[in-house]
Amino acid sequence: MKLYLFFVFFIFQTLGFSQTNGFGKEPRPNEGLQLESFGYPIFFGGEQHSSFHLKYPITNTIRAELNTFYDTYILSDRIRTDIQFKKYWDDNWYLFSGMESEFSFNKYPGVESKKQARPRIGVISGLGYEVNKNFTMEAQSNFQINNAPIGAYGEHLIPMPQVYTLKGKIKF
């Protein structure tokens, strides 16, 4: 019964029946559609890493995001993408949850030990804190829901069906 009441409360909060939050501050203003992108090469080894983030505010306290990361390595290319929803408690604290998929494409598919792997599909969730507009910290969990042979972050040799991460992101 408690789980049911929590679910009903969350739905009412999500749909905007109550615009107050737990900390007593006003919710963040509607920022409009935002696109961020970043990329850099690693000259020794021919690697390239890039990402883009598309953010859209649904209400003042709920934001939808599409994030994609593209990494090219010597033997493979990887694409990791997720769609997530963030629920802000105030201007800094938020909860997030969503789905993630990761694809690995071998550059040399004829090599027997490097067969093409099935994509990894997982559920992500966590808690974040925006220290300021240029620095964010997050605690995240990532649970694999299919039986793909690759682990989180493209790891083939060490299976990782679930991963917990603490991370920080600096924008400059």
Side-chain angles (χ1 to χ4, degrees), residues 138-151:
E138 288 183 349
Q140 176 178 314
S141 66
N142 185 325
F143 293 99
Q144 183 175 355
I145 59 174
N146 67 343
N147 196 16
I150 59 175

Side-chain angles (χ1 to χ4, degrees), residues 34-37 50-56 63-70 79-86 94 96-102 124 138 140 167 169 171:
Q34 296 178 353
L35 176 65
E36 297 175 1
S37 62
S50 58
S51 65
F52 80 86
H53 310 281
L54 186 62
K55 303 173 184 180
Y56 181 73
R63 183 165 66 189
E65 293 187 6
L66 174 66
N67 304 301
T68 300
F69 304 89
Y70 174 73
I79 296 175
R80 181 169 41 101
T81 188
D82 67 59
I83 184 165
Q84 59 181 280
F85 294 92
K86 290 184 175 179
Y94 59 90
F96 64 94
S97 183
M99 297 288 293
E100 178 182 69
S101 63
E102 183 169 358
I124 57 173
E138 288 183 349
Q140 176 178 314
K167 62 182 177 179
K169 181 167 76 170
K171 297 179 196 175

Side-chain angles (χ1 to χ4, degrees), residues 19 24 42 60 66 112 136-137 152 158:
Q19 285 297 319
I42 297 179
N60 286 350
L66 174 66
E112 187 63 30
T136 303
M137 297 184 302
I158 303 169

Side-chain angles (χ1 to χ4, degrees), residues 26-168:
E26 289 295 317
R28 61 184 29 234
N30 190 331
E31 301 158 338
L33 184 66
Q34 296 178 353
L35 176 65
E36 297 175 1
S37 62
F38 184 73
Y40 63 93
I42 297 179
F43 298 106
F44 305 107
E47 295 181 10
Q48 179 181 344
H49 306 280
S50 58
S51 65
F52 80 86
H53 310 281
L54 186 62
K55 303 173 184 180
Y56 181 73
I58 297 172
T59 68
N60 286 350
T61 59
I62 298 173
R63 183 165 66 189
E65 293 187 6
L66 174 66
N67 304 301
T68 300
F69 304 89
Y70 174 73
D71 300 301
T72 178
Y73 298 101
I74 294 172
L75 298 177
S76 66
D77 293 333
R78 295 195 189 113
I79 296 175
R80 181 169 41 101
T81 188
D82 67 59
I83 184 165
Q84 59 181 280
F85 294 92
K86 290 184 175 179
K87 170 69 174 163
Y88 282 85
W89 286 334
D90 65 6
D91 281 344
N92 303 94
W93 289 97
Y94 59 90
L95 292 172
F96 64 94
S97 183
M99 297 288 293
E100 178 182 69
S101 63
E102 183 169 358
F103 299 86
S104 178
F105 302 99
N106 296 326
K107 292 183 178 178
Y108 307 101
V111 177
E112 187 63 30
S113 64
K114 293 291 182 184
K115 289 184 179 179
Q116 195 68 31
R118 290 188 320 274
R120 179 186 196 280
I121 299 173
V123 175
I124 57 173
S125 60
L127 171 70
Y129 182 73
E130 293 179 358
V131 177
N132 58 42
K133 67 178 186 170
N134 295 325
F135 182 55
T136 303
M137 297 184 302
E138 288 183 349
Q140 176 178 314
S141 66
N142 185 325
F143 293 99
Q144 183 175 355
I145 59 174
N146 67 343
N147 196 16
I150 59 175
Y153 308 110
E155 180 58 52
H156 288 277
L157 300 176
I158 303 169
M160 292 184 286
Q162 57 195 29
V163 175
Y164 302 98
T165 56
L166 292 173
K167 62 182 177 179

Side-chain angles (χ1 to χ4, degrees), residues 1-9:
M1 184 67 173
K2 290 179 185 177
L3 182 61
Y4 174 75
L5 290 175
F6 175 76
F7 180 72
V8 169
F9 174 75

